[in-house]
Amino acid sequence: MASHGQRPEHGGPPELFYDKKEARKYVCNSRMIDIQTRMAGRALELLCLPRNKPCYLLDIGCGTGLSGGYLSDEGHYWVGLDISPAMLDEAVDREVEGDLLLGDMGQGIPFKPGTFDGCISISAVQWLCNANKKSENPVKRLYCFFASLFSVLVRGSRAVLQLYPENSEQLELITTQAIRAGFSGGMVVDYPNSAKAKKFYLCLFSGPSTFIPEGLSEKQGEDEPKESMFTNERVPFRLLRRAMVRKSRAWVLEKKERHRRQGREVRRDTRYTGRKRKPRF
């Protein structure tokens, strides 16, 4: 997330900035969890995926799996890519549903062409605009990322990348390399008149150009309560899940129900579901 002082990407490479201490914030800080979850929800909304159909998605800069957890809750399968071992360790401890991969997006995405039905990314792409080594060239790294992303997406699918551009020049650098790699699309800006709530979403199309969704605004939130209602429904559910004791009956039942929504084969519930068994000697 954006920093109030120095920008995180100015302090060094992401694999060093996101150490164990920083990774714990994305697990323990309720405000950060809420913001990341909301942005993941907005990114998924902008993907415009078919309703009631599980999709196979890529999460770039997945971190501790917060955005991936949202994808799982919505019934999708996903793969997360991140450069920070500490962040991925936290994701493993949280037992996220998706598959996790340690890697540098600036070196390309190592999957076969047409693997994913869509891609989201929360607060990651701006890291490619900074060179932490003499051998790193931001333009080449951005193009390598976008070219490989274009390849791994199914034709006609979308990628929605939430980012914090430092200035207009950085924004132009990112969009130029995306277009050069074959994408069409544009930038969606939510709450453009708000200093705190303003968010940038780069919506990219891997097929023929289509309409670019409108950004949210304060006035829109007043006239259309549907957006705020959606958020209000998600927060209590998130709090409920965090309140569940891991491996308890409620936790097991909720997990089984989520797997059913994803179309997986799940055993029926019985009075023995989630019951603790005595240890054998």
Side-chain angles (χ1 to χ4, degrees), residues 190-195 198 217-218:
D190 285 353
Y191 308 110
N193 299 321
S194 172
K198 187 176 183 179
S217 64
E218 290 80 358

Side-chain angles (χ1 to χ4, degrees), residues 1-48:
M1 297 195 325
S3 173
H4 292 294
Q6 184 184 26
R7 292 177 64 92
E9 56 267 27
H10 290 173
E15 62 269 28
L16 296 182
F17 177 82
Y18 291 106
D19 54 13
K20 291 184 179 180
K21 181 180 178 181
E22 193 70 22
R24 287 299 297 169
K25 295 180 182 179
Y26 286 82
V27 178
C28 302
N29 189 315
S30 59
R31 178 178 175 274
M32 295 179 73
I33 292 172
D34 182 52
I35 292 175
Q36 291 287 115
T37 303
R38 289 177 186 234
M39 291 191 294
R42 177 60 170 155
L44 184 60
E45 177 186 346
L46 293 172
L47 278 183
C48 297

Side-chain angles (χ1 to χ4, degrees), residues 16-267:
L16 296 182
F17 177 82
Y18 291 106
D19 54 13
K20 291 184 179 180
K21 181 180 178 181
E22 193 70 22
R24 287 299 297 169
K25 295 180 182 179
Y26 286 82
V27 178
C28 302
N29 189 315
S30 59
R31 178 178 175 274
M32 295 179 73
I33 292 172
D34 182 52
I35 292 175
Q36 291 287 115
T37 303
R38 289 177 186 234
M39 291 191 294
R42 177 60 170 155
L44 184 60
E45 177 186 346
L46 293 172
L47 278 183
C48 297
L49 298 172
R51 290 188 176 183
N52 302 320
K53 178 184 176 182
C55 294
Y56 193 45
L57 305 176
L58 176 64
D59 183 5
I60 300 292
C62 63
T64 59
L66 293 176
S67 52
Y70 186 94
L71 299 180
S72 295
D73 291 342
E74 295 299 316
H76 300 294
Y77 303 98
W78 58 279
V79 174
L81 174 70
D82 202 279
I83 196 173
S84 168
M87 296 288 270
L88 293 179
D89 286 343
E90 290 291 345
V92 172
D93 290 343
R94 293 179 61 246
E95 297 184 2
V96 296
E97 298 290 326
D99 296 319
L100 303 172
L101 178 65
L102 178 66
D104 179 5
M105 60 180 170
Q107 295 181 358
I109 302 170
F111 288 94
K112 293 181 180 179
T115 299
F116 298 101
D117 301 313
C119 170
I120 69 168
S121 177
I122 307 299
S123 312
V125 177
Q126 70 270 6
W127 284 89
L128 293 177
C129 298
N130 294 272
N132 296 298
K133 304 175 184 176
K134 289 184 178 180
S135 58
E136 290 183 351
N137 184 316
V139 174
K140 291 182 178 179
R141 284 171 58 78
L142 279 166
Y143 177 75
C144 180
F145 164 66
F146 283 119
S148 60
L149 178 60
F150 186 86
S151 173
V152 301
L153 290 176
V154 173
R155 288 297 162 264
S157 60
R158 297 185 179 193
V160 178
L161 315 176
Q162 185 276 327
L163 65 154
Y164 291 104
E166 185 174 3
N167 47 48
S168 58
E169 289 78 11
Q170 192 175 91
L171 198 58
E172 183 178 359
L173 172 64
I174 294 171
T175 54
T176 298
Q177 297 310 310
I179 295 172
R180 182 185 167 206
F183 283 108
S184 58
M187 189 67 64
V188 175
V189 183
D190 285 353
Y191 308 110
N193 299 321
S194 172
K196 293 184 178 180
K198 187 176 183 179
K199 295 291 184 294
F200 292 84
Y201 296 87
L202 180 59
C203 295
L204 301 175
F205 312 134
S206 63
S209 299
T210 181
F211 75 96
I212 299 176
E214 294 184 3
L216 302 179
S217 64
E218 290 80 358
K219 184 178 180 180
Q220 201 173 16
E222 295 174 1
D223 297 339
E224 299 178 16
K226 183 178 179 181
E227 196 69 39
S228 59
M229 284 175 59
F230 176 79
T231 302
N232 290 338
E233 290 175 359
R234 296 298 307 173
V235 173
F237 181 71
R238 278 276 163 193
L239 296 176
L240 178 63
R241 285 195 63 195
R242 290 204 296 271
M244 290 181 183
V245 178
R246 189 173 294 275
K247 305 298 183 182
S248 66
R249 178 178 172 82
W251 184 89
V252 172
L253 290 174
E254 190 275 330
K255 186 174 183 179
K256 290 177 71 175
E257 182 59 31
R258 187 165 69 251
H259 284 185
R260 290 190 184 102
R261 293 198 306 267
Q262 294 173 346
R264 301 187 188 183
E265 185 176 347
V266 181
R267 292 183 179 181

